[in-house]
Amino acid sequence: MRKSFGDHQVLRGIDLDAAPGDVVCVIGPSGSGKSTLLRCVNLLEVPSAGRITVGGTEITDPDTDIDAARRRIGMVFQQFHLFPHLDVLGNLTLPQRRVLGRDTEHAVAVARENLARVGLADRAAAYPSQLSGGQQQRVAIARALSMGPEVMLFDEPTSALDPELVGDVLAVLRELAGDGMTMMVVTHEMAFAREVADRVVFLDGGVVVEEGPAARVVGDPVHERTRDFLRRVL
Ligand code: ADP
Ligand code: MG
């Protein structure tokens, strides 16, 4: 798969796959194309060449219903993007009602279940501004989960958080992974990648320089560029 912006080729031939239940962590320096890769998987960006298949559906096929395909993929960003004028429950129920056409009762039940899953069952009536960054990110995760995705994409979900709040969010990701969710996680948290990822992909300059089992890529990288990068982040 390739992606260019004008004549700037940002992703220069990426070939990746994840089996159901896999956790793939994507690491690499700033500007290497990590966000663009995730955005292509969700069709927030349209690849310039190549194909992307999710659960047997080729989402890059012009005949595919993009909205339906996108509903199967949840995405969580570095910035939480919550609706500031809605309380937590409203944040979780609005997209379910608007996009999935669920009635309020159904949407509320799903929302409460997912709030419990991220440890925020007691904050349903709070507004985003009343929550810590870590809590806001957990609400964003619960909101994505409430849509019933088959795959979850996380783009540096803890990078905007104060250090003491990172652990709670990573704990939620760890639990999701344990529940068998298929996940792609862009992260600089190497200890997390090593512990939770089935595979780590090191991206640099728009190509996959190295990929493999987490313990191998993070613990014993083969390529000089990977070693250089890890020396700087570890
Ligand atoms: P990373 O997430 O690894 O930091 P990005 O995927 O955000 O990298 O960006 C990779 C490269 O693509 C950068 O050089 C960036 O400037 C460029 N880029 C990303 N999005 C766009 C866009 N919408 N238009 C033009 N260039 C972009
Ligand atoms: Mg990025």
Side-chain angles (χ1 to χ4, degrees):
M1 192 266 294
R2 295 174 183 276
K3 175 65 185 175
S4 302
F5 295 104
D7 52 15
H8 180 194
Q9 196 172 25
V10 172
L11 298 178
R12 302 186 294 154
I14 306 273
D15 184 5
L16 280 180
D17 62 82
D22 267 5
V23 178
V24 177
C25 280
V26 180
I27 63 173
S30 175
S32 57
K34 304 179 300 294
S35 293
T36 303
L37 173 63
L38 247 58
R39 293 168 62 81
C40 282
V41 174
N42 202 9
L43 290 185
L44 288 173
E45 301 286 357
V46 179
S48 311
R51 294 181 302 159
I52 296 173
T53 299
V54 176
T57 307
E58 190 199 324
I59 60 172
T60 39
D61 182 334
D63 294 334
T64 297
D65 177 348
I66 290 185
D67 291 330
R70 244 190 225 136
R71 263 175 240 145
R72 297 160 58 192
I73 305 167
M75 184 140 176
V76 172
F77 302 88
Q78 183 174 335
Q79 302 299 337
F80 328 121
H81 297 303
L82 298 177
F83 308 118
H85 59 292
L86 294 178
D87 66 11
V88 166
L89 201 61
N91 267 277
L92 268 64
T93 54
L94 181 74
Q96 295 184 64
R97 292 191 291 113
R98 287 266 170 88
V99 179
L100 302 178
R102 287 180 182 158
D103 62 39
T104 302
E105 195 183 348
H106 183 188
V108 167
V110 171
R112 290 201 183 278
E113 190 183 306
N114 284 298
L115 281 178
R117 209 167 167 188
V118 301
L120 292 173
D122 56 341
R123 302 313 305 270
Y127 281 83
S129 60
Q130 299 170 315
L131 300 174
S132 72
Q135 290 172 327
Q136 291 185 56
Q137 188 61 299
R138 283 146 66 200
V139 170
I141 294 170
R143 180 174 63 178
L145 290 173
S146 295
M147 305 300 280
E150 292 165 38
V151 177
M152 286 283 288
L153 309 176
F154 294 89
D155 193 356
E156 300 198 34
T158 60
S159 294
L161 300 177
D162 291 333
E164 75 272 20
L165 303 176
V166 168
D168 287 346
V169 172
L170 292 181
V172 169
L173 266 65
R174 199 176 287 122
E175 203 151 303
L176 270 182
D179 288 346
M181 178 61 80
T182 309
M183 299 163 51
M184 275 184 83
V185 186
V186 174
T187 186
H188 296 292
E189 297 288 335
M190 292 306 140
F192 170 83
R194 199 170 172 154
E195 178 202 332
V196 178
D198 296 293
R199 253 179 326 134
V200 170
V201 173
F202 173 63
L203 203 65
D204 195 7
V207 296
V208 175
V209 173
E210 182 158 1
E211 73 166 294
R216 221 259 313 130
V217 175
V218 179
D220 188 19
V222 174
H223 288 267
E224 192 51 41
R225 277 154 84 186
T226 319
R227 287 202 208 119
D228 259 359
F229 172 75
L230 289 169
R231 257 197 297 273
R232 278 180 279 124
V233 296
L234 283 175

